[in-house]
Amino acid sequence: MTPAVPAVLAEIAGLALRNAMPDVHPADRASSLGLSAALLGMAAEVWDGTAARLVEENRAVRALLARAGEVGLDFAELAVGDDADLRISSLQAANDALRAALIALQTAAEAKSPTLDADIWAELVASTERRKMAASPV
Amino acid sequence: MALEPRLAAYIATRMPHASDIVVEDLSRISGGASRETYRFRLTWAQDGARQDRKLILRRDPPASLIDTERRIEFEAYRAFRGSAVPVPEMLWLEEESEALDHPFFIAEEIAGFQASPQMLFGPPYVAILPKLGERKWTILAEIAKADPAAIGLADVMPGVAADACWDRELSYWEGVLDDDESQPLPIIRAAIRWLRANPPPPAQKVGVVHGDYRTGNFLYDDAGAIHGILDWEMAHLGDPLEDLGWSLNPVWSFGTGIAGGLLPRAEAIAIWERASGLKADPAALHWWELFNCVKGQAIWVSSARAWLDGGNREPIMVYPPWALQNAQDRAALKVMGRL
């Protein structure tokens, strides 16, 4: 999720301190606390699974990038990563690089390889299932 | 200085025949990621009597998820005042920052009604959803029917040719994504490639597009009536199908699976066609529905960007990207028939 969870939690901590002051207007405090509660709930929901989700997704995208030769591209360097650093910020940085390359790969696959294009779509659908929140409206 | 006396001092300059002007009960309304919205009660003395009125202040925030011209929003409200499209009365527009630190406008408050989508799905409102849906898409049809020149908006909003509506909107929102995205968006980028390769036919007419016509942006009662269409900050001239497509965006179904959480999609479209006299060509509407998934994602991305850059650290700026980015991707997949 972006903005990253730790930065948002730090901001909410500061907000909670400000809302503890007696001169905060009740309507402002209610609005702030309600939204903060919703964000805390979402942060709690993703806390345990984020690293596993990113590792799974990075593996799936690397497998697709390894096939870049089918459409005349070369993502060999990206395709051999191993997610040795399990900090979420590191996994997310790798995920960003991989998904940026995936966009280039799919753009080429649309013109040259319907099979690869279909496999990329399958991963994109799977990625939205991995990221789905309990209260998702869709 | 507190906001109340500054607001009262500003209003005094706009009400030269009033005296003893007081701003009371000022409170911020929850939400409002593109503008800060406050309600307050204004009291004043005039013609020997004490008078009062409930008003709304809409002020630009330090950084917003949508960059818009407040004059266009103000004039859009004014243009539809007294028409079949219910809107609050606009009173004063201030485009300079001296009075309240940021530009703002002041309008009447249409008090006593609900706007929250969440309240719709429990008693007593759940019983009136079909009636509310009928009103919602009938009013949208009235916006589509309006002649921009006749209501004065052709002078305020930039014009666009019927065959250029789609490219102007797509280019604008693609540019927002280019500027603001902090993580790659493969699904939305694929959608953009498809949209460019398969443009829609020219608009049947160039009309007024509300720009954010959805459940949550109107005031309703428990009889199924709509008393005010709000949040015109993205209003512009364009293809009326753009608004219809936004109203059908799956993220506005609130998990119900039906249009706007109110009606089956086919019924909503039929109401709009009947009331507007326009056709919702299925292929053209499909294009605009997918476009609106791109636009929605651009808005959620911009909200995250405003927070990341430090211009606005309010929790409301985090909620849209956290709650809706994946949902918007899923909506795009649904519109493309892939989910």
Side-chain angles (χ1 to χ4, degrees):
Chain A
M1 293 197 295
T2 183
V5 171
V8 173
L9 294 184
E11 195 71 25
I12 290 174
L15 200 56
L17 282 175
R18 290 200 293 281
N19 276 314
M21 298 293 113
D23 60 340
V24 178
H25 193 288
D28 289 341
R29 181 183 288 129
S31 169
S32 173
L33 288 178
L35 281 162
S36 296
L39 296 179
L40 288 171
M42 285 189 272
E45 184 180 341
V46 302
W47 175 263
D48 189 45
T50 297
R53 191 260 297 167
L54 285 166
V55 167
E56 182 181 1
E57 188 162 298
N58 290 352
R59 283 180 186 154
V61 176
R62 285 192 182 101
L64 292 164
L65 295 180
R67 296 167 57 189
E70 294 175 27
V71 293
L73 296 176
D74 180 2
F75 289 121
E77 197 171 330
L78 275 174
V80 297
D82 61 0
D83 293 327
D85 184 346
L86 289 173
R87 285 175 299 178
I88 289 171
S89 57
S90 296
L91 294 170
Q92 185 64 57
N95 187 263
D96 290 349
L98 291 166
R99 280 165 65 91
L102 188 66
I103 292 171
L105 182 67
Q106 189 173 29
T107 303
E110 285 166 358
K112 298 176 181 173
S113 175
T115 306
L116 180 56
D117 185 39
D119 290 345
I120 293 170
W121 274 119
E123 163 51 26
L124 293 177
V125 171
S127 79
T128 69
E129 295 293 348
R130 290 183 205 111
R131 295 163 185 239
K132 186 179 179 185
M133 306 289 290
S136 174
V138 182
Chain B
M1 188 195 294
L3 193 53
E4 288 93 332
R6 299 172 71 195
L7 186 52
Y10 173 81
I11 292 172
T13 68
R14 298 302 195 106
M15 296 178 66
H17 302 297
S19 61
D20 193 18
I21 292 171
V22 178
V23 169
E24 297 175 329
D25 303 331
L26 180 80
S27 65
R28 188 164 176 186
I29 298 174
S30 180
S34 57
R35 302 261 194 270
E36 294 173 356
T37 305
Y38 300 81
R39 61 167 53 97
F40 64 97
R41 191 164 74 97
L42 184 73
T43 66
W44 71 96
Q46 190 168 348
D47 301 329
R50 194 80 197 152
Q51 303 185 41
D52 74 282
R53 193 173 188 190
K54 289 182 173 178
L55 299 176
I56 292 287
L57 165 68
R58 293 261 285 168
R59 181 170 70 160
D60 287 12
S64 165
L65 82 174
I66 308 167
D67 294 322
T68 58
E69 290 288 339
R70 69 210 55 80
R71 173 167 289 282
I72 288 179
E73 180 182 8
F74 187 82
E75 295 296 345
Y77 277 110
R78 274 198 160 172
F80 282 99
R81 179 75 178 160
S83 75
V85 180
V87 290
E89 181 186 6
M90 295 291 109
L91 297 175
W92 306 296
L93 170 68
E94 179 55 56
E95 296 181 281
E96 302 301 326
S97 298
E98 283 75 16
L100 299 181
D101 301 326
H102 301 283
F104 62 89
F105 64 76
I106 295 170
E108 73 161 327
E109 180 187 9
I110 301 177
F113 306 109
Q114 300 295 338
S116 165
Q118 285 71 29
M119 291 191 68
L120 282 170
F121 307 116
Y125 301 104
V126 71
I128 51 90
L129 297 186
K131 188 174 179 191
L132 198 55
E134 173 88 26
R135 287 300 301 144
K136 175 183 172 180
W137 276 283
T138 299
I139 293 171
L140 181 59
E142 293 291 342
I143 296 172
K145 278 164 63 178
D147 176 353
I151 60 175
L153 290 178
D155 297 331
V156 180
M157 298 175 170
V160 61
D163 62 356
C165 296
W166 73 269
D167 184 57
R168 186 177 75 172
E169 293 307 309
L170 182 58
S171 295
Y172 175 78
W173 290 106
E174 185 178 9
V176 170
L177 284 166
D178 291 344
D179 290 343
D180 289 349
E181 76 175 11
S182 58
Q183 293 177 348
L185 298 164
I187 292 170
I188 294 302
R189 294 295 177 177
I192 291 171
R193 291 194 300 276
W194 186 91
L195 291 166
R196 289 216 170 277
N198 301 276
Q204 299 161 82
K205 65 171 284 191
V206 174
V208 179
V209 176
H210 176 283
D212 194 8
Y213 196 89
R214 63 174 177 84
T215 303
N217 276 344
F218 55 77
L219 298 168
Y220 59 89
D221 65 21
D222 58 9
I226 290 179
H227 298 270
I229 303 297
L230 308 176
D231 288 354
W232 292 74
E233 62 258 45
M234 289 191 282
H236 58 275
L237 301 184
D239 190 330
L241 288 180
E242 182 187 341
D243 263 345
L244 184 59
W246 182 251
S247 76
L248 301 173
N249 190 327
V251 299
W252 306 132
S253 71
F254 304 98
T256 64
I258 60 175
L262 303 175
L263 285 178
R265 168 194 161 84
E267 284 184 38
I269 295 170
I271 292 165
W272 183 86
E273 285 187 317
R274 193 164 56 243
S276 69
L278 299 171
K279 280 293 294 176
D281 170 69
L285 181 57
H286 173 76
W287 192 97
W288 283 106
E289 286 183 86
L290 186 56
F291 159 78
N292 275 304
C293 292
V294 173
K295 172 179 169 175
Q297 198 64 283
I299 294 170
W300 318 141
V301 158
S302 292
S303 186
R305 173 55 58 199
W307 195 94
L308 289 166
D309 288 349
N312 188 338
R313 286 280 176 140
E314 296 280 337
I316 187 65
M317 306 307 288
V318 179
Y319 187 82
W322 278 20
L324 294 175
Q325 272 203 356
N326 184 53
Q328 194 65 74
D329 272 350
R330 296 174 64 79
L333 291 172
K334 272 190 181 286
V335 173
M336 288 190 278
R338 296 184 180 277
L339 186 68

